[in-house]
């Protein structure tokens, strides 16, 4: 499982465990799964999708960035 935290200027949009995260990277969308290599990437306008225990969720974003390290995914977004 991954620990995902999505933060916008207004509030914490999500904080919990997920199976996967799909983000709109600057060079194209990519999926983050368990034991993903460490990375930092900027995000373009699009949709962040994540699969939690209660199902799939979507969040429309304008821009942002994502960092991945040791199964912790931090996403800072502008909605």
């Amino acid at each position: 499982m991954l620990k995902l935290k999505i933060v916008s200027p207004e509030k914490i949009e999500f904080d919990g465990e997920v199976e996967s995260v799909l983000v709109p990277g600057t060079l194209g969308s990519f999926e983050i799964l368990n034991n993903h290599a460490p990375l930092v990437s900027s995000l373009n306008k699009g949709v962040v999708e994540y699969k939690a225990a209660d199902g799939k969720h979507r969040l429309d974003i304008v821009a942002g960035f994502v960092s991945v390290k040791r199964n912790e995914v931090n996403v800072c977004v502008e909605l």
Side-chain angles (χ1 to χ4, degrees):
M1 293 296 265
L2 297 166
K3 172 79 170 132
L4 172 64
K5 188 169 189 177
I6 303 174
V7 180
S8 71
E10 293 80 28
K11 65 179 181 173
I12 296 173
E13 302 291 334
F14 180 83
D15 189 3
E17 291 192 344
V18 298
E19 292 179 26
S20 64
V21 184
L22 181 67
V23 294
T26 306
L27 298 176
S29 294
F30 62 93
E31 187 171 28
I32 301 163
L33 299 170
N34 201 31
N35 296 320
H36 195 286
L39 71 83
V40 174
S41 176
S42 56
L43 301 177
N44 281 342
K45 182 176 182 176
V47 178
V48 174
E49 297 180 26
Y50 54 96
K51 188 175 179 183
D54 62 348
K56 291 184 179 180
H57 301 270
R58 297 171 51 93
L59 182 65
D60 293 318
I61 68 167
V62 174
F65 69 89
V66 60
S67 69
V68 180
K69 187 176 180 181
R70 295 189 187 119
N71 290 326
E72 290 188 16
V73 182
N74 292 298
V75 184
C76 182
V77 297
E78 183 179 335
L79 302 177

